[in-house]
Amino acid sequence: MKTIPVLLLLAAAAGAQDLLPPGVLLVSRIKNHIRQEMKRLPDCTCLQTVRRFRKPAGGTMQPLDTVRLEVLFTGHQELYGSPGSGAFSEDPPIAFVSSGMLGDGMFGTFVKNIFIEEAAMFVYRGEEDLADRRVAKYDFRLPSMLSEYRISLPEGSGVAGVKGSFWADPQSFDLVRLEVHTDDLPPALPIEDVVNVMNYAHVDVGGQTILLPETQEVRMVRLNGEESRNTVELTHCRSFQTESTIRTDVEAVAAAVLRTEPTGPAVKVGSAVRTVPAGFLVTVRLKTPITEKSAVGASIEAVVAGDVKSKSGVLIPDGAVVHGRIRRLERSGQAGEYHVVGLELVDIEAGDARLRFFAELQSLDAAGAEWIVSGQTKTTRNATESFWVEDLPGVGAFSVKGKTFELAAGAKMVWKTRALANPAR
């Protein structure tokens, strides 16, 4: 038997790779990387803030309401509860509001259906720039017979196929954006399209950095011209460890429900940690310097400056460590002469206790810089600029003048804690 030298085998393998169509090897690596990311995803919970809009047939888009839920992802299943309650249910999220459009599947269903199961077809579209990074773009398609995307409306329900595009980093193989459209819709559904667009970011959960969806936009267009749109933001993601109770009685809801997978059996999951009560002023000093070169998503720390006291004693001691991350950092203004910065503070480490932290930024004191707290208008020589930011719990946003800047260690911020009550109305 003739032996083929190892070097020749390696050369042949390399030659075979060269013969593959562009993007084939890359998509294989991206899918494998996503599989590994999903395997190491811990049971985790995030606060989900949904802003809902509706446009009647022939009308204009108008804001409907804001819904805030806590979503738990465990074992490839999404469960929902009222913020801070520690109790989760298999009910679809629409059960918490009873009307309008509210979808699920943001955490894992689309990813599982498209990347993990060997059913979707992919077409490589080359590389392009997206959000200041070079990414590879692919189109995909998954027929309804292989899809898990169930859409339920008052008029009926059915499983739809999906098609769309995704963008991934060709070096790290991380998923950056996923855009999903319906395809091959059941005749019983009076809709033209449902579009889901999700953007992904690295988040520190339980001491490990994992890739999670950070924002989502859902748009449903009916055949009569009526349109619903939701914008979704996830904040305060954390791991779950201790036991809690899940309610499994699911009542019928006569509303638009975008379901992407059937609910599974009841399971035991973790409960929420204690949250800092509402109405307390907490002064912190930044430990992590922030400049225009800092990365969105980077972890930051601050320390509590002075005891925070309640009637029963010290609620948060002086020197307690505050954990968070940079949520937003972007240039603004016609010449980029301002930066809009958003800081997300997640929890406070006080001795052996770890407290969830939801608060609004009240003031910011940074020597040597001109700071503008969000909600104000800044008048410049050429124009008046208004800075608009999302109202996300625990995220303080502001703007700073200059093409370069530094928020130095020691910068003082005052936050006022707020309740986790659902603002749906």
Side-chain angles (χ1 to χ4, degrees), residues 252-264:
V253 181
V257 184
L258 305 183
R259 298 193 59 76
T260 54
E261 62 180 343
T263 57

Side-chain angles (χ1 to χ4, degrees), residues 1 5 24 27 39 265 308 345 360 389 404 410 413 419:
M1 179 176 179
V24 172
V27 75
K39 284 181 181 178
V308 178
L345 298 187
E360 294 177 344
V389 293
T404 63
M413 296 179 285

Side-chain angles (χ1 to χ4, degrees), residues 296-352:
V296 173
S299 296
I300 60 172
E301 285 189 353
V303 293
V304 176
D307 290 341
V308 178
K309 298 180 179 180
S310 66
K311 292 181 180 180
S312 58
V314 176
L315 179 66
I316 306 171
D318 177 51
V321 179
V322 185
H323 301 275
R325 64 174 177 148
I326 301 173
R327 182 60 189 255
R328 182 178 181 184
L329 204 166
E330 58 193 51
R331 283 193 175 187
S332 186
Q334 295 180 351
E337 65 270 21
Y338 287 88
H339 284 80
V340 179
V341 183
L343 304 182
E344 177 183 349
L345 298 187
V346 178
D347 56 36
I348 296 177
E349 187 177 348
D352 295 333

Side-chain angles (χ1 to χ4, degrees), residues 214-227:
E214 186 174 57
T215 64
Q216 179 189 33
E217 180 173 321
V218 186
R219 185 168 58 91
M220 181 175 69
V221 182
R222 288 177 171 265
L223 294 177
N224 64 0
E226 182 181 313
E227 183 176 339

